Amino acid sequence: MSAPVMLLGAVAVGCVVAAHLLARASWPRRSPAIAIALWQALGLGWGVATVGALAGFWASGLRPRSGIGLPSVAAAAASAPRLLLRMGTAERAWGVMTALRASSLIAGILLLALLWWILLAAVAAVLRARQRQRALLCLLAHDDPKVPGALVVDHPAAAAYCVPGLRSAIVISAGTLALLDQAELAAVLAHERAHLRARHDLVLLPFTALLRAFRWSAVARDANREVALLVEMMADDRARRRRPARELATALLRVGVSGGGLAPVGALAITGGASARGEMGVVPAGAAGSGRTCSSPAPVGARPDSPRGRAMDGELAARVTRLLKPPPGLPVLAMILLGAASAMLVLAPAIALLLPL
Amino acid sequence: MNRLGELERAIMDVLWESPDAMTVRQVGNCLTDRDLAHTTVMTVLDRLTKKGFVRRKRAGRAWRYRPAESREAYVAELMLTAFDQTGDRQAALTRFARSVSGSEADALRTALESLSTGGTGSRS
């Protein structure tokens, strides 16, 4: 096995290990933007390195002295049919190694196709879902002077979110309007606007797509959760430039402990006529915490003290603490090193693939 | 929102208010803008039917229209599909804040109280 292939394999494995470590590190909260850049580099680097290693393994078998560069792969591909024919006429027997290399190539091609496919499928799904949201908002939502520029939906639970895209929207539930005061509502709007302006949906899209494809992978789940949290912190930081941090903090806390959840009690069946409140198990905003784990990623019925519940609670507390006591930024040297590491992760495998080494 | 969107909304409101299925004429009568042509109302009802928000049944010579789901059901769908329970983002980006419960919620409530009383305090 040639050295470049081994290097790519090491990079691929290293990316997974680094992702595992990064998900548990505490420095990202001090500089979310750099941490997100590193996450993106890890994801992209892993993809390129894995595909490259698989393809390179195959290519290095056909022409042992060539590198893994794309030109070499192309040349190897050109000679492959001839080689296969010769193998068929017993000039070179099919050994275990050859079978392994062939499988490696197929695996590489499949992985590449899979990665592109999941990205496109995720984009299509998101666009469809946004279209449906906009159609429903057109019929159901209305303006309210308390939240200028946002749409209000008559739902008792406390929830606020934004629908990104070309025709973006900020949606506030009626429960939220009842729960928060004017200043807190302004802070919520500033936070959601920050998401829209910075196009955080584009940042999150690859990770959402990765999670859909590798749902079983703990690393994919961790990556998704961490990047989502970092994105929230970035929006908090931007909102804090326009509104006092304390208003955003109290808004977060009020919504968080309002107990207004959207967890469906049973199957997600929406039948006409049934009151949404009864069927969906909705607790109106402001109700004292009923001990329910509402809207948590854990399955309905999980005990509130489950580890998943604890991790989530930590996220809200972490954001509030960060708002009230901003942590010191990372030292400049650390930022430079991290930036360089991210760039290397992306460039090195790409260069290795393009040059005949 | 454009005129067509406003009309669709107004007509859905009328349909949601009524317990029974309605004909085009009945819908037109309930709308505040009585100058709307009968054909306009019918066109919008057709669009809503094609989009799946309205169902219609033939009753004699006329069609009777009713909403496909209740307003509450659509509101619930709106909120629930913005982001599904497994955390996969759908149409929306992320919720502003996820709900917490249990002992952690109590801790956060304490923090909230100390924050609220520490400064300007009173809320409307």
Side-chain angles (χ1 to χ4, degrees):
Chain A
M1 192 156 17
S2 59
V5 174
M6 285 175 64
L7 179 64
L8 281 182
V11 168
V13 171
C15 283
V16 176
V17 171
H20 183 87
L21 293 174
L22 187 57
R24 282 147 193 77
S26 57
W27 66 260
R29 300 181 183 188
R30 295 164 63 181
S31 190
I34 298 228
I36 288 185
L38 187 57
W39 273 112
Q40 290 173 326
L42 284 174
L44 193 57
W46 173 84
V48 174
T50 309
V51 172
L54 289 170
F57 184 44
W58 163 75
S60 65
L62 287 177
R63 283 169 55 138
R65 238 167 301 251
S66 76
I68 46 169
L70 269 179
S72 324
V73 171
S79 64
R82 253 183 302 126
L83 280 170
L84 284 170
L85 276 173
R86 272 195 277 145
M87 285 177 206
T89 60
E91 265 204 29
R92 252 163 68 171
W94 275 82
V96 173
M97 260 329 250
T98 320
L100 268 179
R101 291 193 200 276
S103 324
S104 169
L105 173 68
I106 292 170
I109 292 175
L110 283 179
L111 181 62
L112 187 62
L114 175 71
L115 290 175
W116 275 110
W117 169 256
I118 61 175
L119 192 64
L120 291 172
V123 170
V126 161
L127 288 178
R128 255 197 320 266
R130 279 185 202 165
Q131 204 178 23
R132 176 74 178 169
Q133 271 279 312
R134 276 197 292 264
L136 287 174
L137 285 171
C138 246
L139 288 180
L140 300 166
H142 54 90
D143 296 326
D144 194 298
K146 285 198 226 166
V147 281
L151 293 170
V152 176
V153 170
D154 290 325
H155 198 280
Y161 61 90
C162 64
V163 184
L166 286 174
R167 281 167 292 168
S168 60
I170 297 177
V171 181
I172 315 276
S173 71
T176 314
L177 283 188
L179 185 66
L180 303 180
D181 68 26
Q182 197 57 43
E184 289 162 342
L185 286 171
V188 173
L189 288 183
H191 172 99
E192 296 302 329
R193 273 197 204 105
H195 277 316
L196 292 175
R197 273 204 211 100
R199 294 310 305 261
H200 286 163
D201 58 310
L202 296 177
V203 171
L204 283 171
L205 184 64
F207 295 95
T208 313
L210 221 59
L211 183 62
R212 283 160 68 112
F214 301 110
R215 211 178 282 267
W216 41 266
S217 158
V219 174
R221 276 202 302 273
D222 284 347
N224 212 43
R225 196 191 60 229
E226 274 304 304
V227 176
L229 180 59
L230 289 170
V231 156
E232 291 302 326
M233 288 178 174
M234 286 211 296
D236 287 341
D237 286 345
R238 284 188 129 202
R240 189 213 257 123
R241 289 193 224 150
R242 293 166 184 267
R243 310 287 323 177
R246 214 173 85 182
E247 287 163 6
L248 188 52
T250 53
L252 276 172
L253 287 170
R254 281 194 215 284
V255 175
V257 303
S258 68
L262 294 170
V265 180
L268 197 60
I270 301 177
T271 58
S275 99
R277 198 183 284 226
E279 210 175 22
M280 295 297 166
V282 161
V283 178
S290 52
R292 251 177 151 150
T293 311
C294 300
S295 72
S296 115
V300 175
R303 293 164 22 180
D305 288 333
S306 69
R308 203 77 80 87
R310 268 204 295 277
M312 241 208 344
D313 303 346
E315 288 177 7
L316 192 55
R319 280 172 69 189
V320 170
T321 314
R322 215 172 149 271
L323 280 169
L324 300 175
K325 282 199 270 265
L330 289 174
V332 177
L333 184 62
M335 294 210 280
I336 292 176
L337 284 175
L338 286 166
S342 305
M344 252 176 46
L345 267 172
V346 175
L347 290 176
I351 290 175
L353 276 182
L354 287 174
L355 299 175
L357 291 169
Chain B
M1 209 184 309
N2 61 15
R3 176 121 177 90
L4 191 53
E6 280 173 29
L7 265 177
E8 288 187 345
R9 225 186 137 101
I11 288 180
M12 285 305 295
D13 284 341
V14 165
L15 289 175
W16 275 320
E17 299 286 309
S18 155
D20 308 310
M22 302 171 82
T23 61
V24 177
R25 185 173 301 282
Q26 287 170 329
V27 171
N29 285 341
C30 283
L31 289 171
T32 47
D33 180 4
R34 299 289 165 86
D35 286 340
L36 271 178
H38 180 91
T39 48
T40 309
V41 180
M42 188 145 67
T43 309
V44 177
L45 278 167
D46 271 349
R47 273 173 61 108
L48 286 170
T49 310
K50 281 202 187 66
K51 288 189 193 176
F53 291 119
V54 163
R55 280 207 264 269
R56 66 181 180 189
K57 209 147 77 165
R58 198 121 193 138
R61 281 178 31 186
W63 290 99
R64 295 192 88 88
Y65 297 84
R66 61 161 12 121
E69 305 281 348
S70 70
R71 183 193 237 126
E72 292 77 24
Y74 280 127
V75 169
E77 182 197 332
L78 189 67
M79 302 290 271
L80 280 161
T81 58
F83 21 70
D84 75 22
Q85 294 308 300
T86 61
D88 286 352
R89 260 143 249 113
Q90 302 275 330
L93 192 62
T94 42
R95 290 187 76 169
F96 173 66
R98 288 219 187 95
S99 292
V100 303
S101 63
S103 53
E104 284 299 323
D106 295 334
L108 292 178
R109 249 180 233 114
T110 316
L112 179 59
E113 272 159 30
S114 66
L115 271 180
S116 304
T117 55
T120 47
S122 60
R123 291 178 51 237
S124 52

